[in-house]
Amino acid sequence: FFLLCLILPPALSVEIEIISINGETGPAPCTKLCAGTTGKDSAWVQKEEWGSNVLYIRVDISRCGFISTPIITTSIEGSSNWHSIVSGTSSVSTASKDGFWIYLYGFNPPYQNYKYHEKSGPTTAFSSSWNVNWSAVGYSCS
């Protein structure tokens, strides 16, 4: 009996219910939770025309197979504390079924007098392993 229990794991039951996504509804079997990370070697880009302290990255979620824009939650993770004082870490921009953008702003008051903007470029983001952790809930069929 013990060996049989090791070979045949118990059935897993996961229940996900979407209350509302932009007024859309879908059948329960089509509800999907998908999560991932951009990875610690993420390619952050500096948005020069917005100032030297703005970084952005596009996050690709196309492998999730959503049929419409899902509900997306994000956080920024890194190996230093610099990412903890930037703005925009949970602000999803231009979301679609295939991806979204995150824009990070280097500092807000009272940090204006601190020369943080000199450290908030893509080099620091890369050397501090900044990455976007995300989860998305949506529909994968209609």
Side-chain angles (χ1 to χ4, degrees), residues 18-42:
I18 298 175
I19 303 301
S20 175
I21 295 183
N22 300 320
E24 298 176 17
T25 59
C30 295
T31 303
K32 184 174 194 173
L33 170 64
C34 190
T37 181
T38 56
K40 296 187 183 298
D41 57 351
S42 298

Side-chain angles (χ1 to χ4, degrees), residues 61-108:
I61 62 170
S62 60
R63 289 180 46 198
C64 295
F66 293 118
I67 61 167
S68 60
T69 303
I71 299 169
I72 301 168
T73 305
T74 65
S75 66
I76 304 296
E77 188 254 337
S79 62
S80 69
N81 290 331
W82 292 114
H83 66 283
S84 66
I85 61 172
V86 296
S87 298
T89 58
S90 61
S91 299
V92 173
S93 181
T94 320
S96 73
K97 65 183 182 64
D98 295 318
F100 60 93
W101 296 84
I102 294 280
Y103 292 87
L104 301 182
Y105 300 87
F107 59 87
N108 281 328

